[in-house]
Amino acid sequence: MTASGARRAPVGTRDVLYPESSRWEAVVAGFAATVERAGYGLVISPMFEDVSVFSRGMGEKADVVAKEMYVFEDRGGRSLALRPEGTASIVRAFVQHRPPLPWKAWYATAAFRYERPQAGRFRQHHQLGVEVLGSADADLDVEVIDLAVTFLVSVGLDDFELRINSMGDPVCAPVYVETLRKYLESRLGELCDEHRQRALVSPLRVLDCKKEACRSATAGAPALLDVACAECKQHFGRVESGLRALAIPARVDARLVRGFDYYTRTTFELSSPGLDVAQNALGGGGRYDGLVEVLGGPATPGIGFGIGLERLLLACDAARRSAPSPVGASGRSAGPPPAVFVVDVAGGEAARDLTHALRAARIPSDRAFDERSLKSQMRMADRSGARLALIVGADEAAAGTVSVRALRREGDSAGGDDLQRVVGRSDVVGYVQEVLGS
Ligand code: HAM
């Protein structure tokens, strides 16, 4: 190490001193509060992993793995990598510990990528993220996107854009890649220098190239959703209608192809007009229904997102918004108990809408996914530690009502009374507030 090297933080990294650090604390606490209200528990995993966690998980050919990863050999001869992102580590931790499903995890972590440093692009950046393992339900995609959007709004950002797309599944994704390759084959001469070489090896990458040559050459390219299989189309349709139901504006963008191999079905990105175009992504995420298996676990669907902390603060500055003040975050790693558990055996829409409305009213709430039976959902409600169950069956759905059942009184560990009240859907949040407050 040179003398000057010993006096400066490495290129692409920075120190965060007080009082800027207090903004970071406030943002992390605000994130914790938002996601813990939805039943996510903090997970802390190592900053480095065996290199195969990332090379197998994210794909050997992904730029982040092939060109940007910090790989080193430790003194025992192990090949390790500093984590370039959070998802693969969380999935490795899941495979190792096999916590009960669904497993809802959140994290705040440094991530390391050997990139060319510039405004909003660092070699060590920080991500706030969630990952959920154990459900393929499209309503979960809506919940995850809703949480990312709710969090951005909570820090005062309102002029961001949400773009969504589907990456298909093992049935239709290869068909799409082949269709796109054929389309590009006759247009190689029109592409930018880099993609003229790589277009036939990695056709998807051409779609998100920012250079004008590639953009105009791909203006009429086929979209994955044109050739998606029926199941993927149906899944995407349910995500779109769920977002509409929660009044979350989203633009379908066929160019949104995120850079890692693990994505399947829904992908999304949130970008800010206040940041430079090349680095305007505040956060992104999507489904990865095959990743657990790739890392040696049983077939288990998953979805999550990561939001860049530095980018978020830059966007707040651009919009002249300060970070939120800290709101009591519980640090429970098992996930905080909800106050209310919504049991929906009438299709899931009521659970989607009610959990959204309850969380908006700051009432911690959770639900089951995957259209489980009444018995199984009631068991989950009971185990969750919630005080109240809101039950929507066929009768309630038809009448626009909710049955409210006390599972336990405050301080009780189990066993409420059998008291059940039927309340109108539009009154239920107020009613729950009253009962919980009393
Ligand atoms: P990503 O899009 O690579 O996704 O990164 C997430 C966010 O981290 C980006 O939107 C950006 O805000 C920030 N970010 C990434 N690289 C840098 C950098 N060099 N400097 C500053 N900020 C950066 C992931 O990492 C996935 N693990 C997200 C995910 C979670 N997908 C599913 N679950």
Side-chain angles (χ1 to χ4, degrees):
M1 186 182 272
T2 63
S4 73
R7 289 199 298 267
R8 298 188 66 86
V11 174
T13 70
R14 52 194 287 271
D15 301 308
V16 182
L17 307 186
Y18 186 83
E20 193 191 354
S21 57
S22 66
R23 281 181 98 195
W24 284 51
E25 281 189 286
V27 171
V28 176
F31 185 73
T34 302
V35 298
E36 289 186 352
R37 269 203 295 276
Y40 291 69
L42 175 65
V43 174
I44 301 167
S45 59
M47 282 294 166
F48 55 86
E49 298 275 356
D50 189 280
V51 70
S52 64
V53 170
F54 305 112
S55 55
R56 282 167 54 195
M58 302 164 77
E60 303 268 5
K61 285 200 224 119
D63 277 357
V64 170
V65 171
K67 300 182 186 163
E68 298 169 2
M69 205 150 66
Y70 282 87
V71 182
F72 62 99
E73 195 171 288
D74 76 1
R75 289 170 197 267
R78 299 172 193 86
S79 186
L80 302 170
L82 294 184
R83 69 156 56 129
E85 57 120 40
T87 311
S89 305
I90 294 281
V91 170
R92 193 275 309 142
F94 170 78
V95 170
Q96 180 174 342
H97 302 286
R98 300 286 294 280
L101 298 172
W103 190 48
K104 291 176 151 187
W106 75 269
Y107 53 90
T109 183
F112 307 88
R113 299 180 187 181
Y114 191 81
E115 299 200 71
R116 180 141 25 95
Q118 48 200 296
R121 193 173 289 282
F122 305 95
R123 289 187 177 165
Q124 174 177 335
H125 72 278
H126 297 78
Q127 286 191 24
L128 299 170
V130 304
E131 312 293 344
V132 192
L133 293 164
S135 175
D137 192 329
D139 275 8
L140 178 59
D141 307 27
V142 177
E143 169 172 302
V144 164
I145 295 172
D146 183 21
L147 286 174
V149 167
T150 301
F151 170 62
L152 293 187
V153 171
S154 79
V155 297
L157 287 176
D158 41 24
D159 59 346
F160 53 82
E161 186 187 35
L162 167 65
R163 287 171 298 127
I164 56 173
N165 194 17
S166 174
M167 298 302 290
D169 65 8
V171 176
C172 56
V175 177
Y176 176 60
V177 172
E178 207 32 54
T179 312
L180 186 62
R181 187 179 285 122
K182 287 214 176 85
Y183 175 89
L184 294 172
E185 217 160 19
S186 58
R187 291 172 176 79
L188 286 181
E190 299 167 38
L191 304 179
C192 77
D193 291 345
E194 183 193 348
H195 287 119
R196 202 172 311 130
Q197 312 296 328
R198 294 180 55 199
L200 301 183
V201 188
S202 327
L204 290 174
R205 299 265 52 87
V206 184
L207 288 180
D208 70 351
C209 177
K210 303 276 187 300
K211 300 210 176 77
E212 190 42 45
C214 284
R215 291 197 85 79
S216 66
T218 53
L224 183 129
L225 284 163
D226 298 338
V227 298
C229 62
E231 287 78 11
C232 285
K233 276 191 178 145
Q234 192 191 17
H235 186 94
F236 194 73
R238 187 152 171 99
V239 173
E240 280 189 292
S241 66
L243 293 175
R244 262 198 307 277
L246 302 185
I248 297 172
R251 177 163 72 82
V252 179
D253 181 2
R255 286 187 187 276
L256 178 61
V257 285
R258 297 186 36 78
F260 313 140
D261 282 4
Y262 56 61
Y263 287 115
T264 53
R265 296 203 164 163
T266 315
T267 49
F268 59 96
E269 217 161 87
L270 293 145
S271 50
S272 163
L275 300 177
D276 281 357
V277 185
Q279 284 86 234
N280 68 356
L282 291 169
R287 267 204 173 275
Y288 42 82
D289 292 343
L291 181 56
V292 176
E293 267 182 297
V294 167
L295 293 182
T300 311
I303 180 169
F305 66 75
I307 288 178
L309 187 44
E310 290 85 354
R311 300 244 182 115
L312 176 72
L313 292 175
L314 284 170
C316 284
D317 290 342
R320 293 204 174 67
R321 300 278 153 66
S322 61
S325 51
V327 235
S330 97
R332 288 172 52 115
S333 59
V340 178
F341 199 97
V342 182
V343 170
D344 181 344
V345 281
E349 283 88 353
R352 176 192 67 204
D353 298 350
L354 285 169
T355 48
H356 176 79
L358 288 161
R359 291 166 193 167
R362 302 195 166 263
I363 300 168
S365 51
D366 210 345
R367 56 167 293 190
F369 289 100
D370 304 305
E371 301 185 337
R372 285 162 182 269
S373 67
L374 177 64
K375 196 168 151 210
S376 149
Q377 292 195 42
M378 286 307 297
R379 202 178 315 122
M380 285 177 77
D382 203 50
R383 284 196 192 138
S384 74
R387 280 181 61 197
L388 297 177
L390 302 190
I391 304 163
V392 181
D395 292 351
E396 286 88 349
T401 58
V402 177
S403 293
V404 184
R405 185 185 296 178
L407 297 172
R408 51 175 64 68
R409 290 188 201 85
E410 193 165 25
D412 282 358
S413 57
D417 46 39
D418 287 337
L419 194 78
Q420 189 156 308
R421 283 273 305 259
V422 178
V423 183
R425 274 281 279 276
S426 51
D427 301 328
V428 74
V429 172
Y431 178 74
V432 166
Q433 268 167 331
E434 229 174 83
V435 173
L436 294 177
S438 63

